[in-house]
Structure formats: structure tokens, C-alpha cells
Amino acid sequence: MKYLNAKIVLFVILVLIAYSCNVTKKVPEGEHLLTKNEFKFDEKEKPFKSNLPDYVKQRPNGGAVFGFFPFKLLMYNSVPAKFDTAFAEYYDLTRKRRTQESLDSLLSKNGLEEYTGNSLWWKRFRFNQGESPVLIDTAMSSFSEENLENYYFDRGYFDAAVKSEHDLDSAAKKGQVIYHINPGEESIIETYNYSIKDSAVLRHYETLLGRGSEIKAGERYDMDNFIAERDRIVEYLKNRGYYRFNDDGQAIEFTADTTFTDKQIDVTLLIPSERNDSIKAKETFAKYRYGTIHIYPDSNPVPDGQMPPVYFDTIFDGYHLHYVDPKMKYRPKFFTDAIVLRDSALYRQISENQTKRNISKREGINLTSFQNEIDTAMLIQNDSVLNVNMWFRPKKKYDVFYGAELSWSEFMNFGVSPRVSLVARNLFRGGENLETTLRGTLGNVNKKFTDDKSFFNAFEMTFQTKLGFPYLLFPLNTDRLFPKRFYKQTDFRMGASVQRNIGIGRVTYSTGLDYNISFRDTHSHMLSVLNTEFVYNIQKENYFNVFEGDNNIKNNFFNNHYFMYNPGAAIQHYQGTLSDEDVINMIYNDQAFLNTLEGQGLEDLSIFENMNFRRQTITQDVLVASMIYQYTLNQSERRNVKNPWFFRGRVEVAGNILGLLDDAFGFYKTETDQGKEMGLVFNVPYSQFVKLEVDVRKYFNLSPTSTLATRAFAGIVQPYGNTDFVPFVRSYTAGGANDVRGWAAATLGPADFPRYAGGDDVFAIERLKLLFNVEYRFKMMDIFHGALFVDAGNIWGTDKKNELTLFRFNDFYKELGIGSGFGLRIDLTYLMLRLDFAYKIHDPSYPLGDRWQFDNFNILKPRLAFGINYPF
């Protein structure tokens, strides 16, 4: 360990020496590289200190980890200086003009004729991706002084003063800028009043004020609060008929009375603003109602000066539809069901947003134009009238999509999936779409989960067809329960797959009827009924050839315990007249043998029973007929949410309908090894279980280029009724590139399962899972990103008969597998490639006292985890 520490220290010293020598390589004489902006306060109070770097014009060169290692500068400096001018002129050219001929011309122009004809792509790449040294500029420092003073002024420090000072080291050609800050005394809002001339607007604002305000008496003046209050007022009134409210920015003004002091200020909201001149000033604001709503299902807006086409008009549910094609390929209801706007209703901005959202989710059409038109000749209930025009373009009736996907799954290290999909749109003239997909996957799984020695040691062939309806396909009318503002979709799906990706082949047939409902973009509900999955395992006898860890457990118990007790069974097993499964059944039925076990034998029996539980679960054919409800909250698409949440809750209940039919009609029964009867459907036991999952994530956007992502996951599945086991497809595993990355997929746990020879090869499954992740993500340069992470988690059993893996609230934290490491990412916009270097920090498979792995830590031997996109 001491030798390892010495190597690490030596490595760090060498890196620091190289770093310090290289960063000033291209700093001209008399200039200074900016290494740091420092902020010093005259008083003990240091308000908003953490925000100040964002308001300084000049910042040190970008760093990889917390600004320490400026990779961009080092890349720029790694290119010989003689190329700088030629390369700079080359990248000033448009992309089309960046040819070898242009490069050769610029090289010759700058006296580099010996390099003509060479691409120099590696040097050019480093130059282009790099960053020239940031040199201290006094003018920029003065600009930053003013910028910082303005920032403090907007935060309520009206007397803030900022002065910059340069601390220069001419010998090293480095320097830092020190900003001396005296924020002064903060200004407090003493009173908050409002003056609104329009009585209707006044009533609305007083109602809004009853819900609170961003501006509060007794709090510090802050410009952000005034902007938030303005936006809140505008949004509220635009959802109550005021279509053009504050569009010119002249409707709202906040004034501050500082006649006696600017430390205790009286704030007044003025509607309309006093900035309006006498011509623009308004005593009242116009309210609007929707007039005629025109729908053009199959045409575009007609440009000025052109003759419009001949329309075939119809009115449906109060909407005016104008078809070019008299056959009306889409029924009117397809369009009107998506439109929340109603004639004579008050204008509501949210209704327009909901309408556009509903339309955007309809796969068969595109909304090409949405226009509001003020009707100057008409009033509705004394309000102004707003006519609406919407133009649509249907997509092609049939489409074929083909391509290939790169994929990663819980057990697959890498997969490539060629696929072809046929889409048939608008089957019944109501926007119904049929999508049929055929996909094949070739992949690579860990060698411990397969006996295939080739690189592509896993395959899957999948057939999936889905019929989608842009409405709720339900025998009862649900319009009152879910009105138009809800997006509704029904999907009926069927599929079949053949796979061999964990060593044992599997054939799966599935069906489902899914109802998807959402009111906002951030919230969605999914209810899946008729969710049926039939899993048939093939090559079951191959289990111990594939899962070497479980084979070791079996052989250990056979040889060291049962065969010593029953030598005859050993001879028959060796001769092949007794299979592994025959011997396992003999052990469970031999109570006299079980009574002889004590000490190590009982511990080995527990390990053996846990192994057999895995074997039976993985190889068991099952029929799952379940109902699933899932609620999802996802704020990541909201631009105005700085630190978004993600929440997903999921409940699955299986087997109840089949259980009722079994009670009523009596299915054919079979008996388990433990003597329990199970009802069979198509000679396969139907599963009964309940499964609960909660996945919570929080993202903290620390800066435009860095994020702290956190996740907490908890899941439990409990069998009951017809079966006392959980289907493998519903069980939990731990470890892998999206999980606890220090462990390979499905090799962590369960609980503090003890170490033994070959123990790392065990395929671990159980009924309860906890997972916690923290990851700091940062941008290094352009498409290259980095990450630091800590993962913790494990799986446990819930059966009290198996004490070895049972979850205990008082002890579970001692049994968490904890891993940490760093990662590199390549952001390709629509795809992110991820490589993580992970290390085991706390390994629960060791005895207590030996689980922390700092003494065994080797930075040169990480577990490499490849993934696609972020792990969470």
C-alpha cells in the first residue's frame, strides 16, 4: 500500500510540473495568463459570493475538474506556435472552403511550405478544440467592475462599490485579478402597494394576490422578484381573456419611492405603466373571446395574391372545417377532439398550449400554421373577438423505417440491432396507426453468463405490432372524466421474441392494452390492462454450464457434504444415472441427512438453498397476467425549472383474475417440491404477486456546464396466492453500468452474501432493491464531458425462511455495496457514449470489519462500464 501511495504521489507531482511548465508556453512576453479571479469583501458579510464568477467578463481557461486542469489550454499549447496563424486563418473560412488546397495556400503564405500536401488533422483538431490563453486585460477588469456593481444593484445593494487589483508574477507570466467588493447596506421593501385603473384587472390581481406575491414587505429588494411578479401577472391575465396584455411591455410598471432614503423603500405596482404617453395610455384593457375556429385539415395557408383552393366545408361540434379533398380522409372528430379552444369562450393562453400539445402528439399529421385573427367588426358579450385558423398536413398513408441501433441493457455489454418498421396510418379514418417492427439484436454479454466464447455471444429476435388510437378505447364515455385538455392515447400491442442473452434460451409472448393520459407535459399516467406475458425457457439443463458460480456452489455442497454422507449417490451421479436435479431433489427429501448438518455445513446449506432458489427462478416457465399503473413527473423539459425533479411510481398486481377463474372453475394443479399446489394454465403456473417501485431523481444545475444528478430507487415484489416465487422477469438484480458500477451486472448481493471460491460469478436475484446514486457531470471541451460518481445499493430477500439474505432495517446500511469512480462521455447530440471507470469501495460480501476496500484499492485496475446515454 505504501508503494502504491508513493507511485500516486509521484504521478501527481509529475503532472503538476508538466502542467505548470506548459500553460504559459504561448503567453507573449509582457503579458500574464489569468489563473484566478478572487473576490475579497471589506466586511464579514459576503452576499452572493458563489454567483460572482458568472458576472466577470474574463475568466481563467476552462478546466476539466472544478476548474483545476485546463485541458483546452493544454491542447492549444500542444500545437507548435508556428502553425497558429495558418490554422486560425483556416478556421476563419467557411466549412465549404476548408479544403486541402486552402490549407496548403495558407501554409505557404506563413512560410510552412514543407508541410504542404499534409492534412495535419491531428494538429488542426487540437488547435480547433483547444483554447488560447486568457490574458489579463485591464479594460476587461474595468468592465467586470461595472458588471458586478450592476449585479449588486439589482439585488438591492444600491451603494455597492467594486475595485479590481492585478496580482502579477512576471517571471512566471501568470497573474490573478482581485476584486475588492463593498456591497454596502441592503435596501428593504417597507411597503408594497398597487394602483390599477381597470376595475376588472384590479379584481383579478387582488384574487392573484390572495395566493401570495413574489414581492413582500420586509424583504430585500431584488429585481428577479419583480420580473417573476410581472410574469405571474401576465400569465394570470392571459388565461382570463386578456389576449394582448403587456405585449408592448407598457402595461406594468413598478415604482420605488426613495424620497427620504433608499434603504427603506415604498414599492407601487402601476397598471397601466406611467411610461405610456397620452396616446397609448389605457384606462381599460380589452378582453377577448374566441369567435369562429377554422380548421384546414389538408392544406397550407394561401400566400397573399394567390387564389385559394376550392374547399369542401363542414361544421362539426361548432368547428368549421375546410377540406380540399372531398373524401375527408380524416374524420372531423380526429381534429376537434384535440382542440381545447371553444367558440364564445374567453381567450386562455393555456388552452392554446394544450391544443398545440395534443396535436403534436398525433402521429399522423403536422400542424403547419396556427394563427389568431382579431375580428374588428364583432363583439361577443361585449368582449373583442379572436378568430382562429389552423392548417394541417397529413403524413403519408404508409411508411417504412429501417436502420440499426446501438444498445445497452442490464446484462448486455454491447448490442447492435438492425430493425425494420412498417407504419400504416389512419386505418379507420380516426387517426389510428398500426406499427409493426421486426428487430434482431446481436450482443455481447459477460462471459460468466454464457457458454458461447465468441464476441457476439447473445442474440434476440423480436416481432412487435402496436395499434394506436388517439383516444380512450373504452366501452363507456369518458369525456366528462377526461375532457379535451387531457391528452389521451390507447395502445393495443402484441409481440413475440426469441432470445439467448444470459446463456439460457427464452421464448416470450406478450400482449397488452395501455391507456396513456396526461394533463401537462410534465405529468403522465399509464394504466396497462390485459398485460400478459408468457415466458418459456429452453436449454434449462444448460444452467450449471453457464452459471459457473452456482456450479461451484453445487459442487461444493455435493462433494463436501452429501456425497460424503451418501457415496452411492456420488457413484450414480458420476456414472450419469443421476442428474444434478435428481441429486438436488434427493437432498431436500433426505431429512436424516439434513439433521446431520451443523456449523459450516448449515452455512453451506443456506448458500446452496439460495443457489437453488436462483436456479428455479431463472429456469421457471411462467405466465404473468397483470395490471400496471404508473405515474411519472418529469420537469427536465421545463426551461424555467432550474433544478428539475423526476419521479416515477409504479404498481403492478398480477394473477388476480386468473386466481378468481381458478377458484370458480378449478384449474389443473401440480405440486411443488415443498408440497404446495399450484394452478396451471397451458401447463404453466400462473404468477401472483404485487410489485411496488419508486424512482426519485433531482438535478441541480450548478452552472451552464455542470450538473449534480442524484437518484434514489426502491422496489419490492412479493409473491402470494398461487405461487411462492417471483418470475425472473420481475426479480431484481444489482450492479452494472446503470446501477452500482463497481460491480458487473447481477453480481452484487444479495445482502451480505459471503465470499467463497468463484463467488464473483454468481448471478444474484432477489425481491427487494435499494439504489442510491450521486453524479457530478461537467463539460470538458465541446463534445467531451466528464463525471465523478458514487453509487450505493444492494438487493435483499423478504422470505423469513432464508435468514442469509433477509432484509433487516437495522442492518441494511452495513450491507450496501458502495462504488465510486470517474467517467468520460462523448456527446453526439442525439446519443451519448459513456465509459465509466468504477471501483469497489465497500464490499458487503466480506466479513464485517473487512468490507471497506481502501487497502485493496488499485487505481490502475478499475471496472470498465460502457453505456449509452446517462445512467439516470
Side-chain angles (χ1 to χ4, degrees):
M1 183 65 184
K2 292 181 180 179
Y3 178 64
L4 176 62
N5 287 339
K7 289 197 294 184
I8 294 174
V9 171
L10 179 60
F11 173 76
V12 171
I13 291 173
L14 291 174
V15 168
L16 290 176
I17 292 173
Y19 162 73
S20 60
C21 294
N22 198 31
V23 292
T24 58
K25 181 178 179 181
K26 293 187 178 180
V27 175
E29 290 298 328
E31 301 284 358
H32 300 84
L33 176 71
L34 175 63
T35 60
K36 183 181 180 182
N37 287 319
E38 187 174 354
F39 304 95
K40 291 187 176 181
F41 289 78
D42 296 345
E43 306 292 335
K44 289 184 178 181
E45 293 294 326
K46 302 176 181 180
F48 307 108
K49 183 177 181 180
S50 61
N51 297 338
L52 300 184
D54 295 336
Y55 294 87
V56 174
K57 184 67 175 177
Q58 274 196 310
R59 305 177 198 176
N61 289 94
V65 182
F66 303 108
F68 169 71
F69 208 68
F71 279 119
K72 285 192 172 185
L73 175 59
L74 294 176
M75 286 187 71
Y76 181 85
N77 285 347
S78 69
V79 179
K82 60 185 179 182
F83 292 101
D84 288 357
T85 303
F87 286 169
E89 292 176 350
Y90 177 80
Y91 284 106
D92 281 341
L93 300 174
T94 62
R95 185 177 296 272
K96 190 174 182 179
R97 294 180 59 199
R98 293 177 197 164
T99 63
Q100 183 65 44
E101 183 180 355
S102 299
L103 179 61
D104 289 344
S105 175
L106 292 171
L107 290 171
S108 299
K109 173 186 171 183
N110 288 277
L112 301 169
E113 293 86 352
E114 67 269 26
Y115 296 99
T116 58
N118 296 316
S119 170
L120 303 176
W121 72 269
W122 178 232
K123 287 185 174 64
R124 288 191 290 109
F125 173 81
R126 284 178 286 155
F127 178 88
N128 192 41
Q129 298 297 322
E131 183 180 76
S132 60
V134 177
L135 306 178
I136 294 177
D137 186 330
T138 55
M140 291 293 186
S141 300
S142 299
F143 179 88
S144 296
E145 292 175 10
E146 183 179 350
N147 211 26
L148 290 169
E149 288 179 353
N150 290 336
Y151 172 75
Y152 273 103
F153 185 93
D154 289 342
R155 305 282 82 75
Y157 294 86
F158 299 149
D159 301 325
V162 180
K163 295 296 180 184
S164 62
E165 174 191 357
H166 296 160
D167 182 9
L168 307 177
D169 184 345
S170 298
K173 296 198 290 188
K174 297 179 182 179
Q176 58 182 348
V177 180
I178 303 171
Y179 293 94
H180 296 275
I181 301 171
N182 181 8
E185 186 180 349
E186 63 182 15
S187 296
I188 302 298
I189 298 174
E190 186 169 11
T191 62
Y192 174 54
N193 303 293
Y194 50 89
S195 174
I196 302 174
K197 296 180 179 180
D198 187 300
S199 59
V201 173
L202 174 62
R203 287 194 300 270
H204 283 306
Y205 182 66
E206 288 178 339
T207 301
L208 179 64
L209 201 58
R211 303 177 185 178
S213 173
E214 298 293 333
I215 304 171
K216 298 179 178 66
E219 293 189 356
R220 174 179 47 79
Y221 174 99
D222 193 319
M223 180 60 71
D224 288 346
N225 293 337
F226 288 89
I227 295 172
E229 183 68 6
R230 179 203 64 193
D231 294 343
R232 201 170 72 106
I233 295 169
V234 171
E235 180 184 11
Y236 188 82
L237 293 176
K238 284 203 168 190
N239 283 317
R240 281 152 185 83
Y242 294 88
Y243 168 59
R244 307 178 74 176
F245 184 79
N246 204 46
D247 283 356
D248 59 359
Q250 301 295 308
I252 298 176
E253 182 180 5
F254 294 97
T255 64
D257 185 356
T258 58
T259 303
F260 299 105
T261 175
D262 62 359
K263 303 308 175 191
Q264 299 290 328
I265 57 179
D266 299 316
V267 173
T268 302
L269 163 66
L270 301 178
I271 301 179
S273 166
E274 290 184 345
R275 295 192 301 270
N276 286 336
D277 57 33
S278 58
I279 298 175
K280 291 184 177 180
K282 300 178 181 177
E283 293 290 331
T284 61
F285 296 92
K287 293 178 72 173
Y288 288 80
R289 291 183 180 272
Y290 291 112
T292 306
I293 300 174
H294 298 277
I295 301 171
Y296 299 85
D298 52 8
S299 62
N300 291 322
V302 179
D304 292 339
Q306 289 189 14
M307 288 292 294
V310 176
Y311 294 115
F312 296 87
D313 301 335
T314 185
I315 298 177
F316 181 84
D317 196 23
Y319 298 95
H320 294 248
L321 292 97
H322 311 280
Y323 289 87
V324 172
D325 187 345
K327 294 181 180 180
M328 295 195 306
K329 293 181 179 179
Y330 282 86
R331 291 195 301 265
K333 185 175 174 61
F334 171 72
F335 299 96
T336 60
D337 276 358
I339 299 173
V340 182
L341 318 178
R342 295 294 309 190
D343 58 327
S344 300
L346 274 174
Y347 166 81
R348 286 169 58 85
Q349 189 177 56
I350 191 172
S351 296
E352 285 194 4
N353 294 338
Q354 290 168 341
T355 296
K356 292 175 182 178
R357 182 205 62 182
N358 289 349
I359 293 170
S360 69
K361 290 178 179 291
R362 303 206 163 201
E363 201 277 333
I365 56 169
N366 291 319
L367 176 66
T368 58
S369 183
F370 186 106
Q371 296 178 5
N372 290 319
E373 186 179 81
I374 298 174
D375 191 335
T376 57
M378 186 177 178
L379 293 176
I380 298 178
Q381 299 180 23
N382 294 322
D383 292 328
S384 299
V385 174
L386 200 64
N387 296 324
V388 181
N389 302 292
M390 287 178 276
W391 283 269
F392 298 88
R393 267 294 178 190
K395 296 181 181 178
K396 292 189 299 183
K397 178 73 174 180
Y398 299 102
D399 253 334
V400 176
F401 301 95
Y402 54 88
E405 299 174 352
L406 298 178
S407 61
W408 178 94
S409 69
E410 192 171 5
F411 307 116
M412 191 175 294
N413 298 324
F414 173 80
V416 56
S417 305
R419 61 175 176 83
V420 59
S421 297
L422 171 65
V423 177
R425 298 188 176 96
N426 195 31
L427 293 182
F428 313 120
R429 296 181 54 239
E432 303 84 1
N433 301 321
L434 177 66
E435 181 177 359
T436 303
T437 301
L438 181 64
R439 180 176 63 195
T441 298
L442 289 175
N444 172 267
V445 299
N446 196 299
K447 292 289 192 288
K448 64 187 67 174
F449 300 144
T450 180
D451 57 351
D452 190 334
K453 304 305 179 184
S454 60
F455 178 78
F456 286 111
N457 52 21
F459 79 88
E460 181 175 358
M461 183 67 68
T462 302
F463 170 83
Q464 182 81 37
T465 184
K466 182 177 70 174
L467 180 59
F469 304 84
Y471 47 85
L472 293 183
L473 190 66
F474 200 72
L476 302 178
N477 191 323
T478 60
D479 290 346
R480 290 190 177 182
L481 185 61
F482 302 110
K484 288 186 176 185
R485 63 179 179 271
F486 288 86
Y487 165 74
K488 293 157 282 189
Q489 173 81 16
T490 304
D491 294 322
F492 178 70
R493 51 184 168 78
M494 297 178 62
S497 67
V498 179
Q499 62 181 4
R500 189 178 185 275
N501 61 5
I502 56 166
I504 297 177
R506 175 177 296 125
V507 179
T508 303
Y509 304 95
S510 62
T511 64
L513 181 64
D514 304 330
Y515 296 102
N516 296 280
I517 301 170
S518 64
F519 175 50
R520 301 183 182 91
D521 291 337
T522 53
H523 302 259
S524 64
H525 304 264
M526 188 275 291
L527 177 65
S528 180
V529 298
L530 306 179
N531 188 68
T532 307
E533 192 170 358
F534 174 75
V535 180
Y536 174 69
N537 293 289
I538 54 180
Q539 299 176 306
K540 300 178 185 180
E541 70 284 352
N542 204 29
Y543 181 84
F544 287 117
N545 293 330
V546 173
F547 298 101
E548 295 181 4
D550 282 351
N551 191 49
N552 291 337
I553 295 173
K554 177 207 67 174
N555 291 337
N556 174 67
F557 195 79
F558 280 9
N559 297 329
N560 295 331
H561 298 287
Y562 190 65
F563 287 163
M564 295 179 67
Y565 172 83
N566 187 350
I571 295 172
Q572 294 180 64
H573 182 262
Y574 178 78
Q575 293 174 343
T577 56
L578 281 180
S579 66
D580 289 334
E581 188 164 3
D582 292 335
V583 176
I584 291 172
N585 292 332
M586 290 174 65
I587 291 173
Y588 281 118
N589 293 324
D590 195 339
Q591 191 60 47
F593 161 70
L594 296 176
N595 290 338
T596 65
L597 297 174
E598 57 184 20
Q600 184 63 45
L602 288 174
E603 183 175 332
D604 288 348
L605 176 63
S606 295
I607 296 173
F608 178 79
E609 289 177 331
N610 188 270
M611 175 278 298
N612 197 47
F613 156 78
R614 280 192 301 275
R615 181 185 69 88
Q616 290 179 322
T617 301
I618 291 173
T619 60
Q620 177 67 61
D621 300 333
V622 293
L623 174 65
V624 178
S626 67
M627 179 179 293
I628 302 172
Y629 169 73
Q630 178 174 293
Y631 167 73
T632 304
L633 165 68
N634 187 358
Q635 296 180 332
S636 60
E637 300 299 323
R638 287 285 185 95
R639 295 182 179 178
N640 60 338
V641 179
K642 181 180 179 182
N643 301 314
W645 284 94
F646 173 92
F647 172 86
R648 181 172 59 229
R650 183 181 176 94
V651 180
E652 181 176 11
V653 180
N656 287 353
I657 294 177
L658 292 177
L660 292 174
L661 293 175
D662 191 2
D663 293 339
F665 302 105
F667 292 168
Y668 181 78
K669 299 291 194 299
T670 188
E671 191 172 283
T672 66
D673 295 338
Q674 289 73 33
K676 178 182 177 180
E677 279 194 342
M678 291 190 301
L680 303 180
V681 177
F682 304 121
N683 208 34
V684 173
Y686 64 88
S687 295
Q688 279 191 283
F689 61 84
V690 60
K691 185 174 186 180
L692 307 174
E693 290 184 348
V694 174
D695 187 353
V696 182
R697 308 174 192 181
K698 179 71 171 177
Y699 302 92
F700 300 91
N701 293 306
L702 306 179
S703 75
T705 58
S706 64
T707 300
L708 183 68
T710 63
R711 172 173 65 175
F713 173 89
I716 183 172
V717 54
Q718 187 65 33
Y720 66 92
N722 191 58
T723 51
D724 56 5
F725 64 88
V726 176
F728 169 69
V729 291
R730 297 297 192 273
S731 299
Y732 290 109
T733 64
N738 283 5
D739 205 274
V740 184
R741 283 162 275 189
W743 281 258
T747 61
L748 172 57
D752 56 352
F753 200 74
R755 297 185 66 83
Y756 50 85
D760 286 341
D761 293 328
V762 167
F763 188 97
I765 57 174
E766 263 302 350
R767 300 175 181 176
L768 185 150
K769 179 174 183 175
L770 295 177
L771 176 64
F772 308 95
N773 307 87
V774 177
E775 182 169 283
Y776 173 69
R777 301 166 181 168
F778 52 91
K779 184 175 181 178
M780 294 190 295
M781 61 184 79
D782 292 338
I783 64 173
F784 297 99
H785 297 245
L788 302 172
F789 59 84
V790 178
D791 307 318
N794 207 336
I795 55 174
W796 291 266
T798 59
D799 189 346
K800 294 182 179 179
K801 296 178 184 177
N802 194 343
E803 291 284 332
L804 195 64
T805 62
L806 184 64
F807 177 84
R808 297 177 179 85
F809 185 79
N810 293 334
D811 295 325
F812 84 91
Y813 65 93
K814 303 174 187 176
E815 299 167 350
L816 290 173
I818 302 176
S820 184
F822 59 94
L824 300 175
R825 288 93 166 87
I826 301 177
D827 188 356
L828 303 177
T829 305
Y830 299 106
L831 179 72
M832 176 169 284
L833 303 180
R834 174 166 53 90
L835 181 63
D836 290 323
F837 301 80
Y839 304 87
K840 294 179 180 179
I841 303 300
H842 184 266
D843 191 341
S845 65
Y846 284 90
L848 278 171
D850 297 329
R851 294 180 178 176
W852 292 105
Q853 297 297 296
F854 296 115
D855 288 342
N856 300 324
F857 184 81
N858 187 341
I859 195 171
L860 301 179
K861 292 185 177 181
R863 198 191 84 78
L864 299 180
F866 173 78
I868 295 175
N869 296 327
Y870 287 118
F872 58 93

